[in-house]
């Protein structure tokens, strides 16, 4: 196989959760360019419809479904539906996620549980539903979308950091338990990326804006395009001996003490 063929996703089916916009959609579009068939879900029909329209405008015939990744029965039914209506899932990206920025002592247990439910239990539930088919077929790729907060804390994001730290270890555990079936499970840890999720931090003159730029050697916020190449790498044969790795795509934040004020 030529080196470029190793990065091809021709003939593969990729399921990206929460991919009606944002990072998930960017990864799905990259997978499509590499040859994959795209399947995605979201919790609202209007978002699925919006996503389908965006994919169509990009020349992609995607398959969209309404499903909440925290609902185990609904996820099991969805995976069976995808594998009968579209194709067996070769690549799973656990992208769906939420964040609540609340000081921990002001956060209710219900709010904490909600973030952990989507950001950690969701990837567990979806991976558990997809793994049996990957084991039967003797191959599979699972990519969990982790975070800087898989490694670092900051004020107001206790639930999110706990969930994303857990997701890092779930990634390593899936890699450990299922690597023997030629299944590779890795994570991508995006830095601070321009998406709706970080929009509140990027309002004009928001102090966090300057802060992130001072903490990033690349001296800029990331764009969803920055994540596309790393995701295709982890979804392709080029990474068949990479397992349990969290690939940080952060412009260098984790390596840098930060610019002197
Ligand atoms: P986003 O713009 O908020 O998109 C998240 C997507 O997940 C939305 O489509 C959302 O749908 C969907 N979703 C939420 N809860 C769901 C559920 N229970 N079931 C199914 N879908 C659900 O986020 P993003 O910035 O693209 O981030 C995507 C992933 O990257 C998340 O896991 C996030 O934690 C992670 N991440 C983001 C950054 C960043 O800087 N943006 C950095 C590191 C990691 P609704 O709109 O209906 O809620
Ligand atoms: C925050 C941000 C971050 C990013 C991302 C960084 O409030 O600190 O939302 O959590 O979303 O996870 O990698």
């Amino acid at each position: 196989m030529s080196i470029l063929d190793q990065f091809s996703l021709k003939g593969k089916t990729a399921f990206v959760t929460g991919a009606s916009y944002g990072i998930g959609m960017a990864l799905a579009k990259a997978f499509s360019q590499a040859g994959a068939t795209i399947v995605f879900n979201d919790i609202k029909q209007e978002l699925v419809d919006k996503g389908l329209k965006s994919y169509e405008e990009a020349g992609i015939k995607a398959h969209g479904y309404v499903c909440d990744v925290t609902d185990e029965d609904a996820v099991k039914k969805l995976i069976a539906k995808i594998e009968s209506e579209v194709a067996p899932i070769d690549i799973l990206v656990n992208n769906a996620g939420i964040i609540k920025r609340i000081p921990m002592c002001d956060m209710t247990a219900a709010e904490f549980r909600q973030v952990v439910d989507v950001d950690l239990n969701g990837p567990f539930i979806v991976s558990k539903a997809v793994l049996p088919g990957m084991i039967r077929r003797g191959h599979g790729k699972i990519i969990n979308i982790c975070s800087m907060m898989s490694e670092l804390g900051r004020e107001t994001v206790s639930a999110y950091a706990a969930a994303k730290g857990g997701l890092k270890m779930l990634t390593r555990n899936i890699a450990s338990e299922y690597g023997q079936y030629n299944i590779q499970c890795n994570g991508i840890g995006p830095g601070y990326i321009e998406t709706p999720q970080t929009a509140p931090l990027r309002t004009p003159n928001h102090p966090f804006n300057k802060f992130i730029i001072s903490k990033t050697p690349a001296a800029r916020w990331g764009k969803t395009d920055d994540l596309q190449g790393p995701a295709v790498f982890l979804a392709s044969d080029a990474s068949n001996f990479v397992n349990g790795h969290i690939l940080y795509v952060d412009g260098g934040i984790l390596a840098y003490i930060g610019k002197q004020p």
Side-chain angles (χ1 to χ4, degrees), residues 26 40 59 71 76 118 141 155 169 180 192 199 206 216 226:
F40 73 101
D71 181 339
K76 280 181 187 167
V118 178
K141 297 280 187 178
E155 298 79 4
M169 288 315 300
Q180 61 185 302
Y192 280 83
H206 193 302
T216 309
D226 292 318

Side-chain angles (χ1 to χ4, degrees), residues 18-24 41-44 47 67-70 95-98 118 145-147 160 164 190-193 195-198:
S20 54
Y21 59 88
I23 287 172
N41 73 304
D42 221 304
I43 38 182
K44 297 169 197 141
L47 275 174
C67 183
D68 178 341
V69 295
T70 66
N95 166 77
I98 62 172
V118 178
I145 306 300
C146 297
S147 161
Y160 184 83
K164 292 297 187 179
Y192 280 83
I193 311 294
T195 73
Q197 191 247 48
T198 54

